[in-house]
Amino acid sequence: ALRAGGLVAFPTETVYGLGASARHAAALPRIFEAMGRPADHPLILHLDNPRFVSRWVAGLPPQFEPLAKAFWPGPMTLVMNRSEEASDVLTGGQDTVAIRIPSHPMAQQLLTAFGGGIAAPSANKYGRVSPTRPEHVREELGDAVKLILDGGECTIGVESTILSLAGEKPRLLRPGSIGQSQIEAVIGPVEVGADAGAPRVPGSTAQHYSPATAVATVPSTLLESRIDTLLRDARRVAVLAQRPPRKAQQGVTWINAGRRLDAYQRDLYANLRSLDKAGADLILVEDVPTTPEWTAVRDRLARAAVNPR
Ligand code: TXA
Ligand code: MG
């Protein structure tokens, strides 16, 4: 399917991707069509081995080797200056290319069998919650994707950490399960967030990763009183919390996602999807810890909550 220019959804350790051959000129636009994604948004190039990276970039930056050694294969995407090999469709017309070596065995097998680079964003409609299970991909994209490789549930559950090595200093563009301190332990200080002349990172537009139901984050101590107020107005409420409810109430759908980061993060998008289907007027999310390990989760929740609908 890939060689013929078709789309294949496949599992990675972070989320499911919607893949097309990175060198097939007619294939890449099909990704944008299927997703309703603006055509100038760059895709991530997936390879099975770091030794192929040099073809796609204009010189390997000094931080490349130590980072690749520490974090690949794994949930880390590196943005570097591109070579001729990387097309405008792949890079959204920018002079940089984003590359990742996924560790998921099925992604690895697919890449090796195909024998080339696979361009893939997360396999969701533009602006929506990323899929972490094969059935989510079907839900999101329907018949637009013929082939979905079923690798079960993604173990990490949030998209890869994106680090740019294209500028003067390394810059963290998107938080992920590999945290800032882990990166700094390998290459020293990094800047954080998009800079003024920033490349486009769709995940960094304020509203992104959103369910259709409005989302609001609430401090734990205010959770019950917010629910009471909403119920008084005859509104139905869905709750994503880290503890059980203090009292049983009608009109409330409650998910206790627990306090363990890895499980909370792994189940985050699946939980938001379930709550989205609960027929509630609002999804209330109990604030998660403010510690650095929770940065990626906090980031995705904050984006889900920027929701004018
Ligand atoms: O975990 C992941 O990264 C997943 C799996 C499938 O690999 N992919 C993913 O792709 O999350 P997604 O939907 O976020 O889209 C690609 C991201 C966008 O945020 C895009 O802006 C960024 O990568 N990106 C791609 N090329 C870039 C570049 N040249 N400069 C800056 N950001 C870039
Ligand atoms: Mg995405």
Side-chain angles (χ1 to χ4, degrees), residues 184-251:
E184 292 185 328
V186 177
I187 58 165
V190 302
E191 319 261 292
V192 178
D195 63 0
R200 289 174 298 268
V201 186
S204 71
T205 55
Q207 189 195 336
H208 209 80
Y209 311 111
S210 297
T213 315
V215 175
T217 54
V218 189
S220 188
T221 49
L222 300 180
L223 195 48
E224 271 76 12
S225 62
R226 272 301 289 282
I227 294 171
D228 288 340
T229 312
L230 287 159
L231 292 177
R232 230 174 285 138
D233 297 339
R235 308 198 42 189
R236 276 174 303 175
V237 191
V239 180
L240 179 60
Q242 296 192 267
R243 57 172 172 79
R246 299 232 159 93
K247 54 184 177 186
Q249 278 175 308
Q250 269 193 1

Short mmCIF file of all heavy atoms in Angstrom, two decimals, residues 184-251:
data_model
loop_
_atom_site.label_atom_id
_atom_site.label_comp_id
_atom_site.label_asym_id
_atom_site.label_seq_id
_atom_site.Cartn_x
_atom_site.Cartn_y
_atom_site.Cartn_z
N GLU A 184 18.58 17.72 29.16
CA GLU A 184 19.70 18.56 29.62
C GLU A 184 20.81 17.73 30.25
O GLU A 184 21.98 18.11 30.19
CB GLU A 184 19.16 19.63 30.58
CG GLU A 184 18.29 20.63 29.81
CD GLU A 184 17.80 21.80 30.65
OE1 GLU A 184 17.59 21.63 31.87
OE2 GLU A 184 17.63 22.90 30.06
N ALA A 185 20.46 16.58 30.80
CA ALA A 185 21.49 15.69 31.34
C ALA A 185 22.40 15.19 30.23
O ALA A 185 23.54 14.82 30.47
CB ALA A 185 20.83 14.52 32.08
N VAL A 186 21.91 15.18 29.01
CA VAL A 186 22.70 14.66 27.88
C VAL A 186 23.42 15.78 27.12
O VAL A 186 24.58 15.64 26.75
CB VAL A 186 21.79 13.86 26.91
CG1 VAL A 186 22.58 13.38 25.70
CG2 VAL A 186 21.16 12.68 27.63
N ILE A 187 22.74 16.92 26.87
CA ILE A 187 23.35 17.96 26.02
C ILE A 187 23.48 19.33 26.68
O ILE A 187 23.85 20.31 26.03
CB ILE A 187 22.59 18.13 24.68
CG1 ILE A 187 21.11 18.49 24.92
CG2 ILE A 187 22.72 16.88 23.82
CD1 ILE A 187 20.39 19.01 23.69
N GLY A 188 23.15 19.42 27.96
CA GLY A 188 23.22 20.73 28.61
C GLY A 188 21.94 21.54 28.37
O GLY A 188 20.98 21.02 27.81
N PRO A 189 21.96 22.83 28.77
CA PRO A 189 20.75 23.66 28.77
C PRO A 189 20.04 23.74 27.42
O PRO A 189 20.68 23.84 26.37
CB PRO A 189 21.27 25.04 29.16
CG PRO A 189 22.58 24.81 29.82
CD PRO A 189 23.14 23.54 29.26
N VAL A 190 18.71 23.69 27.46
CA VAL A 190 17.90 23.90 26.25
C VAL A 190 16.91 25.03 26.51
O VAL A 190 16.50 25.27 27.64
CB VAL A 190 17.13 22.62 25.83
CG1 VAL A 190 18.07 21.47 25.57
CG2 VAL A 190 16.08 22.23 26.88
N GLU A 191 16.55 25.74 25.44
CA GLU A 191 15.49 26.74 25.54
C GLU A 191 14.16 26.03 25.45
O GLU A 191 14.08 24.92 24.94
CB GLU A 191 15.59 27.74 24.38
CG GLU A 191 16.99 28.16 24.02
CD GLU A 191 17.36 29.50 24.62
OE1 GLU A 191 16.77 30.50 24.19
OE2 GLU A 191 18.24 29.53 25.52
N VAL A 192 13.11 26.71 25.92
CA VAL A 192 11.80 26.07 25.90
C VAL A 192 10.76 26.94 25.20
O VAL A 192 10.73 28.15 25.39
CB VAL A 192 11.31 25.76 27.33
CG1 VAL A 192 9.93 25.13 27.32
CG2 VAL A 192 12.31 24.85 28.04
N GLY A 193 9.92 26.29 24.38
CA GLY A 193 8.82 26.98 23.72
C GLY A 193 9.21 27.51 22.36
O GLY A 193 10.39 27.53 22.02
N ALA A 194 8.22 27.94 21.59
CA ALA A 194 8.48 28.47 20.26
C ALA A 194 9.16 29.83 20.38
O ALA A 194 8.82 30.62 21.25
CB ALA A 194 7.17 28.60 19.49
N ASP A 195 10.16 30.11 19.54
CA ASP A 195 10.77 31.45 19.56
C ASP A 195 10.04 32.35 18.57
O ASP A 195 9.11 31.94 17.90
CB ASP A 195 12.28 31.39 19.31
CG ASP A 195 12.60 30.85 17.93
OD1 ASP A 195 11.65 30.52 17.19
OD2 ASP A 195 13.79 30.75 17.62
N ALA A 196 10.48 33.59 18.49
CA ALA A 196 9.77 34.60 17.69
C ALA A 196 9.63 34.18 16.22
O ALA A 196 8.54 34.18 15.66
CB ALA A 196 10.48 35.94 17.80
N GLY A 197 10.71 33.80 15.60
CA GLY A 197 10.65 33.36 14.20
C GLY A 197 10.34 31.88 14.09
O GLY A 197 10.93 31.18 13.30
N ALA A 198 9.40 31.43 14.93
CA ALA A 198 9.19 30.00 15.12
C ALA A 198 8.66 29.27 13.88
O ALA A 198 7.90 29.83 13.10
CB ALA A 198 8.20 29.80 16.25
N PRO A 199 9.08 28.02 13.71
CA PRO A 199 8.46 27.18 12.69
C PRO A 199 7.06 26.81 13.17
O PRO A 199 6.76 26.92 14.35
CB PRO A 199 9.35 25.94 12.66
CG PRO A 199 10.04 25.89 13.98
CD PRO A 199 10.07 27.30 14.50
N ARG A 200 6.23 26.41 12.25
CA ARG A 200 4.86 26.06 12.63
C ARG A 200 4.82 24.70 13.31
O ARG A 200 5.27 23.71 12.77
CB ARG A 200 3.97 26.01 11.39
CG ARG A 200 3.69 27.37 10.80
CD ARG A 200 2.94 27.21 9.51
NE ARG A 200 3.73 26.47 8.52
CZ ARG A 200 4.52 27.04 7.65
NH1 ARG A 200 4.67 28.34 7.64
NH2 ARG A 200 5.18 26.31 6.79
N VAL A 201 4.26 24.68 14.50
CA VAL A 201 4.03 23.42 15.20
C VAL A 201 2.54 23.39 15.56
O VAL A 201 2.13 24.07 16.49
CB VAL A 201 4.85 23.33 16.50
CG1 VAL A 201 4.70 21.97 17.14
CG2 VAL A 201 6.32 23.62 16.22
N PRO A 202 1.73 22.65 14.78
CA PRO A 202 0.29 22.67 15.01
C PRO A 202 -0.07 22.37 16.47
O PRO A 202 -0.96 22.97 17.02
CB PRO A 202 -0.25 21.57 14.10
CG PRO A 202 0.81 21.30 13.11
CD PRO A 202 2.10 21.79 13.67
N GLY A 203 0.69 21.44 17.07
CA GLY A 203 0.43 21.12 18.47
C GLY A 203 0.64 22.32 19.38
O GLY A 203 0.31 22.27 20.54
N SER A 204 1.19 23.40 18.84
CA SER A 204 1.45 24.54 19.70
C SER A 204 0.44 25.67 19.47
O SER A 204 0.49 26.69 20.13
CB SER A 204 2.87 25.06 19.48
OG SER A 204 2.96 25.68 18.23
N THR A 205 -0.48 25.51 18.52
CA THR A 205 -1.57 26.48 18.47
C THR A 205 -2.40 26.21 19.71
O THR A 205 -2.55 25.06 20.12
CB THR A 205 -2.44 26.32 17.21
OG1 THR A 205 -2.91 24.99 17.14
CG2 THR A 205 -1.65 26.65 15.96
N ALA A 206 -2.92 27.28 20.32
CA ALA A 206 -3.50 27.13 21.65
C ALA A 206 -4.50 25.98 21.74
O ALA A 206 -4.39 25.11 22.57
CB ALA A 206 -4.14 28.44 22.07
N GLN A 207 -5.50 26.00 20.84
CA GLN A 207 -6.48 24.92 20.94
C GLN A 207 -6.07 23.75 20.08
O GLN A 207 -5.97 23.84 18.87
CB GLN A 207 -7.86 25.42 20.52
CG GLN A 207 -8.93 24.39 20.84
CD GLN A 207 -10.21 24.67 20.13
OE1 GLN A 207 -10.49 25.79 19.77
NE2 GLN A 207 -11.01 23.63 19.92
N HIS A 208 -5.87 22.62 20.69
CA HIS A 208 -5.41 21.44 19.99
C HIS A 208 -5.67 20.30 20.92
O HIS A 208 -5.81 20.49 22.12
CB HIS A 208 -3.92 21.59 19.70
CG HIS A 208 -3.49 20.85 18.47
ND1 HIS A 208 -3.68 21.34 17.21
CD2 HIS A 208 -2.89 19.64 18.30
CE1 HIS A 208 -3.20 20.47 16.33
NE2 HIS A 208 -2.71 19.44 16.97
N TYR A 209 -5.72 19.10 20.42
CA TYR A 209 -5.97 17.94 21.27
C TYR A 209 -7.30 18.08 22.00
O TYR A 209 -7.40 17.82 23.19
CB TYR A 209 -4.84 17.75 22.29
CG TYR A 209 -3.45 17.81 21.73
CD1 TYR A 209 -2.60 18.87 22.03
CD2 TYR A 209 -2.97 16.81 20.88
CE1 TYR A 209 -1.31 18.93 21.51
CE2 TYR A 209 -1.69 16.87 20.36
CZ TYR A 209 -0.86 17.93 20.68
OH TYR A 209 0.40 17.99 20.18
N SER A 210 -8.36 18.54 21.30
CA SER A 210 -9.62 18.82 21.97
C SER A 210 -10.69 17.80 21.69
O SER A 210 -10.91 17.43 20.55
CB SER A 210 -10.15 20.18 21.52
OG SER A 210 -9.27 21.19 21.90
N PRO A 211 -11.41 17.39 22.74
CA PRO A 211 -12.66 16.66 22.53
C PRO A 211 -13.72 17.63 22.00
O PRO A 211 -13.51 18.84 22.03
CB PRO A 211 -13.03 16.16 23.92
CG PRO A 211 -11.87 16.47 24.81
CD PRO A 211 -11.10 17.56 24.15
N ALA A 212 -14.88 17.11 21.56
CA ALA A 212 -15.95 17.99 21.08
C ALA A 212 -16.64 18.68 22.26
O ALA A 212 -17.06 19.82 22.16
CB ALA A 212 -16.96 17.18 20.27
N THR A 213 -16.75 17.98 23.38
CA THR A 213 -17.33 18.58 24.59
C THR A 213 -16.32 19.56 25.18
O THR A 213 -15.12 19.31 25.15
CB THR A 213 -17.61 17.47 25.64
OG1 THR A 213 -18.24 16.37 25.00
CG2 THR A 213 -18.47 17.99 26.78
N ALA A 214 -16.84 20.69 25.71
CA ALA A 214 -15.95 21.67 26.33
C ALA A 214 -15.24 21.06 27.54
O ALA A 214 -15.80 20.20 28.23
CB ALA A 214 -16.75 22.89 26.75
N VAL A 215 -14.01 21.49 27.75
CA VAL A 215 -13.19 20.96 28.84
C VAL A 215 -12.77 22.12 29.75
O VAL A 215 -12.41 23.18 29.27
CB VAL A 215 -11.92 20.28 28.30
CG1 VAL A 215 -10.99 19.83 29.43
CG2 VAL A 215 -12.27 19.11 27.40
N ALA A 216 -12.84 21.92 31.07
CA ALA A 216 -12.31 22.92 32.01
C ALA A 216 -11.49 22.20 33.07
O ALA A 216 -11.86 21.11 33.51
CB ALA A 216 -13.46 23.69 32.67
N THR A 217 -10.36 22.79 33.43
CA THR A 217 -9.57 22.20 34.51
C THR A 217 -9.95 22.89 35.82
O THR A 217 -10.24 24.08 35.85
CB THR A 217 -8.07 22.34 34.26
OG1 THR A 217 -7.76 23.71 34.04
CG2 THR A 217 -7.64 21.54 33.03
N VAL A 218 -9.94 22.12 36.91
CA VAL A 218 -10.42 22.60 38.21
C VAL A 218 -9.49 22.10 39.32
O VAL A 218 -9.12 20.92 39.31
CB VAL A 218 -11.83 22.03 38.53
CG1 VAL A 218 -12.41 22.70 39.75
CG2 VAL A 218 -12.74 22.14 37.35
N PRO A 219 -9.15 22.98 40.29
CA PRO A 219 -8.38 22.49 41.44
C PRO A 219 -9.19 21.42 42.19
O PRO A 219 -10.42 21.53 42.28
CB PRO A 219 -8.21 23.74 42.31
CG PRO A 219 -8.47 24.90 41.41
CD PRO A 219 -9.40 24.42 40.34
N SER A 220 -8.48 20.45 42.72
CA SER A 220 -9.13 19.32 43.38
C SER A 220 -10.13 19.76 44.46
O SER A 220 -11.23 19.22 44.56
CB SER A 220 -8.07 18.43 44.00
OG SER A 220 -8.66 17.25 44.47
N THR A 221 -9.74 20.79 45.23
CA THR A 221 -10.59 21.22 46.36
C THR A 221 -11.90 21.84 45.88
O THR A 221 -12.86 21.92 46.65
CB THR A 221 -9.84 22.28 47.21
OG1 THR A 221 -9.32 23.27 46.31
CG2 THR A 221 -8.73 21.65 48.00
N LEU A 222 -11.94 22.30 44.63
CA LEU A 222 -13.16 22.96 44.14
C LEU A 222 -14.03 22.05 43.28
O LEU A 222 -15.10 22.44 42.81
CB LEU A 222 -12.79 24.20 43.31
CG LEU A 222 -12.01 25.29 44.06
CD1 LEU A 222 -11.71 26.46 43.12
CD2 LEU A 222 -12.79 25.76 45.27
N LEU A 223 -13.55 20.82 43.08
CA LEU A 223 -14.22 19.92 42.15
C LEU A 223 -15.69 19.69 42.52
O LEU A 223 -16.59 19.91 41.70
CB LEU A 223 -13.45 18.60 42.10
CG LEU A 223 -13.71 17.62 40.97
CD1 LEU A 223 -13.69 18.31 39.61
CD2 LEU A 223 -12.65 16.52 41.00
N GLU A 224 -15.94 19.28 43.76
CA GLU A 224 -17.32 18.96 44.17
C GLU A 224 -18.23 20.19 44.09
O GLU A 224 -19.38 20.07 43.67
CB GLU A 224 -17.35 18.34 45.57
CG GLU A 224 -17.22 16.81 45.58
CD GLU A 224 -15.79 16.32 45.33
OE1 GLU A 224 -14.86 17.15 45.37
OE2 GLU A 224 -15.61 15.11 45.08
N SER A 225 -17.71 21.37 44.51
CA SER A 225 -18.59 22.54 44.48
C SER A 225 -18.91 22.96 43.04
O SER A 225 -20.02 23.38 42.74
CB SER A 225 -17.99 23.70 45.29
OG SER A 225 -16.77 24.08 44.74
N ARG A 226 -17.92 22.81 42.13
CA ARG A 226 -18.21 23.11 40.72
C ARG A 226 -19.28 22.17 40.17
O ARG A 226 -20.19 22.58 39.45
CB ARG A 226 -16.93 22.93 39.86
CG ARG A 226 -16.05 24.14 39.74
CD ARG A 226 -16.73 25.36 39.13
NE ARG A 226 -17.04 25.27 37.70
CZ ARG A 226 -16.16 25.43 36.73
NH1 ARG A 226 -14.90 25.67 36.99
NH2 ARG A 226 -16.53 25.34 35.46
N ILE A 227 -19.18 20.89 40.54
CA ILE A 227 -20.16 19.91 40.07
C ILE A 227 -21.55 20.28 40.60
O ILE A 227 -22.53 20.29 39.85
CB ILE A 227 -19.78 18.49 40.53
CG1 ILE A 227 -18.48 18.06 39.84
CG2 ILE A 227 -20.89 17.50 40.23
CD1 ILE A 227 -17.89 16.78 40.37
N ASP A 228 -21.63 20.62 41.91
CA ASP A 228 -22.92 21.00 42.50
C ASP A 228 -23.55 22.16 41.74
O ASP A 228 -24.74 22.14 41.42
CB ASP A 228 -22.75 21.39 43.97
CG ASP A 228 -22.47 20.17 44.86
OD1 ASP A 228 -22.79 19.03 44.41
OD2 ASP A 228 -21.93 20.33 45.96
N THR A 229 -22.75 23.18 41.45
CA THR A 229 -23.26 24.35 40.73
C THR A 229 -23.80 23.94 39.36
O THR A 229 -24.88 24.37 38.95
CB THR A 229 -22.14 25.39 40.52
OG1 THR A 229 -21.48 25.57 41.76
CG2 THR A 229 -22.68 26.69 40.01
N LEU A 230 -23.04 23.12 38.65
CA LEU A 230 -23.46 22.71 37.31
C LEU A 230 -24.74 21.88 37.37
O LEU A 230 -25.66 22.06 36.56
CB LEU A 230 -22.34 21.93 36.63
CG LEU A 230 -21.15 22.78 36.18
CD1 LEU A 230 -19.91 21.93 36.01
CD2 LEU A 230 -21.48 23.51 34.89
N LEU A 231 -24.83 20.98 38.36
CA LEU A 231 -26.01 20.12 38.47
C LEU A 231 -27.26 20.95 38.79
O LEU A 231 -28.36 20.65 38.36
CB LEU A 231 -25.81 19.03 39.53
CG LEU A 231 -24.76 17.96 39.19
CD1 LEU A 231 -24.61 16.98 40.35
CD2 LEU A 231 -25.12 17.20 37.91
N ARG A 232 -27.07 22.01 39.58
CA ARG A 232 -28.18 22.89 39.93
C ARG A 232 -28.77 23.53 38.66
O ARG A 232 -29.95 23.77 38.56
CB ARG A 232 -27.69 23.99 40.89
CG ARG A 232 -28.59 24.13 42.12
CD ARG A 232 -27.99 25.12 43.11
NE ARG A 232 -26.84 24.57 43.83
CZ ARG A 232 -25.72 25.24 44.09
NH1 ARG A 232 -25.58 26.50 43.68
NH2 ARG A 232 -24.75 24.67 44.77
N ASP A 233 -27.90 23.79 37.69
CA ASP A 233 -28.38 24.34 36.41
C ASP A 233 -28.81 23.23 35.46
O ASP A 233 -28.90 23.44 34.25
CB ASP A 233 -27.27 25.17 35.74
CG ASP A 233 -26.89 26.36 36.58
OD1 ASP A 233 -27.71 26.76 37.43
OD2 ASP A 233 -25.75 26.87 36.39
N ALA A 234 -29.02 22.03 36.02
CA ALA A 234 -29.46 20.87 35.24
C ALA A 234 -28.50 20.52 34.10
O ALA A 234 -28.92 20.11 33.03
CB ALA A 234 -30.87 21.10 34.69
N ARG A 235 -27.21 20.75 34.37
CA ARG A 235 -26.23 20.39 33.35
C ARG A 235 -25.59 19.08 33.72
O ARG A 235 -25.42 18.77 34.89
CB ARG A 235 -25.20 21.51 33.22
CG ARG A 235 -25.93 22.84 33.01
CD ARG A 235 -25.10 23.91 32.46
NE ARG A 235 -24.21 23.48 31.38
CZ ARG A 235 -23.28 24.28 30.89
NH1 ARG A 235 -23.11 25.47 31.37
NH2 ARG A 235 -22.51 23.86 29.92
N ARG A 236 -25.28 18.30 32.68
CA ARG A 236 -24.61 17.03 32.96
C ARG A 236 -23.10 17.20 32.89
O ARG A 236 -22.60 17.94 32.05
CB ARG A 236 -25.09 15.96 31.97
CG ARG A 236 -26.40 15.33 32.44
CD ARG A 236 -26.94 14.39 31.43
NE ARG A 236 -27.12 15.09 30.14
CZ ARG A 236 -27.50 14.48 29.01
NH1 ARG A 236 -27.69 13.18 29.01
NH2 ARG A 236 -27.66 15.17 27.90
N VAL A 237 -22.43 16.50 33.78
CA VAL A 237 -21.00 16.72 33.94
C VAL A 237 -20.23 15.41 33.78
O VAL A 237 -20.66 14.36 34.27
CB VAL A 237 -20.69 17.29 35.34
CG1 VAL A 237 -19.25 17.77 35.40
CG2 VAL A 237 -21.65 18.40 35.71
N ALA A 238 -19.10 15.47 33.09
CA ALA A 238 -18.18 14.35 33.02
C ALA A 238 -16.90 14.78 33.74
O ALA A 238 -16.49 15.94 33.64
CB ALA A 238 -17.89 13.99 31.58
N VAL A 239 -16.30 13.88 34.49
CA VAL A 239 -15.16 14.24 35.32
C VAL A 239 -13.98 13.29 35.07
O VAL A 239 -14.15 12.07 35.04
CB VAL A 239 -15.53 14.19 36.83
CG1 VAL A 239 -14.32 14.57 37.69
CG2 VAL A 239 -16.70 15.11 37.12
N LEU A 240 -12.81 13.89 34.88
CA LEU A 240 -11.57 13.11 34.85
C LEU A 240 -10.79 13.49 36.09
O LEU A 240 -10.30 14.62 36.21
CB LEU A 240 -10.77 13.42 33.58
CG LEU A 240 -9.44 12.68 33.44
CD1 LEU A 240 -9.64 11.17 33.43
CD2 LEU A 240 -8.72 13.12 32.17
N ALA A 241 -10.70 12.55 37.04
CA ALA A 241 -10.07 12.87 38.32
C ALA A 241 -8.98 11.85 38.64
O ALA A 241 -8.78 10.87 37.92
CB ALA A 241 -11.13 12.88 39.42
N GLN A 242 -8.28 12.14 39.74
CA GLN A 242 -7.23 11.22 40.19
C GLN A 242 -7.65 10.50 41.46
O GLN A 242 -6.85 9.89 42.14
CB GLN A 242 -5.93 11.99 40.41
CG GLN A 242 -5.40 12.59 39.12
CD GLN A 242 -3.98 13.10 39.28
OE1 GLN A 242 -3.74 14.25 39.58
NE2 GLN A 242 -3.03 12.20 39.08
N ARG A 243 -8.91 10.65 41.81
CA ARG A 243 -9.45 10.02 43.01
C ARG A 243 -10.92 9.69 42.76
O ARG A 243 -11.52 10.20 41.80
CB ARG A 243 -9.32 10.99 44.19
CG ARG A 243 -10.02 12.33 43.95
CD ARG A 243 -10.04 13.17 45.20
NE ARG A 243 -10.53 14.52 45.00
CZ ARG A 243 -11.82 14.87 44.91
NH1 ARG A 243 -12.76 13.95 44.96
NH2 ARG A 243 -12.16 16.14 44.75
N PRO A 244 -11.52 8.85 43.64
CA PRO A 244 -12.94 8.56 43.49
C PRO A 244 -13.78 9.77 43.91
O PRO A 244 -13.26 10.67 44.59
CB PRO A 244 -13.19 7.40 44.45
CG PRO A 244 -11.90 7.09 45.12
CD PRO A 244 -10.90 8.13 44.76
N PRO A 245 -15.07 9.83 43.51
CA PRO A 245 -15.93 10.94 43.94
C PRO A 245 -16.16 10.89 45.45
O PRO A 245 -16.16 9.82 46.04
CB PRO A 245 -17.23 10.71 43.18
CG PRO A 245 -17.20 9.30 42.72
CD PRO A 245 -15.77 8.89 42.64
N ARG A 246 -16.38 12.08 46.08
CA ARG A 246 -16.62 12.11 47.52
C ARG A 246 -18.05 11.69 47.85
O ARG A 246 -18.36 11.31 48.95
CB ARG A 246 -16.36 13.52 48.07
CG ARG A 246 -14.92 13.96 47.85
CD ARG A 246 -14.24 14.47 49.11
NE ARG A 246 -12.79 14.42 48.96
CZ ARG A 246 -12.03 15.43 48.53
NH1 ARG A 246 -12.57 16.59 48.23
NH2 ARG A 246 -10.73 15.27 48.41
N LYS A 247 -18.95 11.85 46.85
CA LYS A 247 -20.32 11.38 47.04
C LYS A 247 -20.88 10.93 45.70
O LYS A 247 -20.43 11.42 44.65
CB LYS A 247 -21.18 12.48 47.65
CG LYS A 247 -21.15 13.78 46.85
CD LYS A 247 -21.92 14.90 47.52
CE LYS A 247 -21.79 16.19 46.73
NZ LYS A 247 -22.37 17.36 47.35
N ALA A 248 -21.84 10.02 45.74
CA ALA A 248 -22.46 9.55 44.50
C ALA A 248 -23.49 10.57 44.05
O ALA A 248 -24.26 11.08 44.86
CB ALA A 248 -23.12 8.20 44.74
N GLN A 249 -23.46 10.94 42.78
CA GLN A 249 -24.41 11.95 42.28
C GLN A 249 -24.93 11.55 40.91
O GLN A 249 -24.17 11.08 40.08
CB GLN A 249 -23.72 13.31 42.18
CG GLN A 249 -23.64 14.06 43.48
CD GLN A 249 -22.85 15.34 43.33
OE1 GLN A 249 -21.74 15.32 42.83
NE2 GLN A 249 -23.43 16.44 43.76
N GLN A 250 -26.23 11.80 40.70
CA GLN A 250 -26.79 11.54 39.38
C GLN A 250 -26.37 12.63 38.41
O GLN A 250 -26.18 13.77 38.81
CB GLN A 250 -28.31 11.49 39.48
CG GLN A 250 -28.78 10.08 39.74
CD GLN A 250 -30.28 9.95 39.52
OE1 GLN A 250 -30.96 10.90 39.15
NE2 GLN A 250 -30.78 8.75 39.75
N GLY A 251 -26.23 12.25 37.16
CA GLY A 251 -25.87 13.25 36.15
C GLY A 251 -24.37 13.46 36.06
O GLY A 251 -23.90 14.35 35.36
#
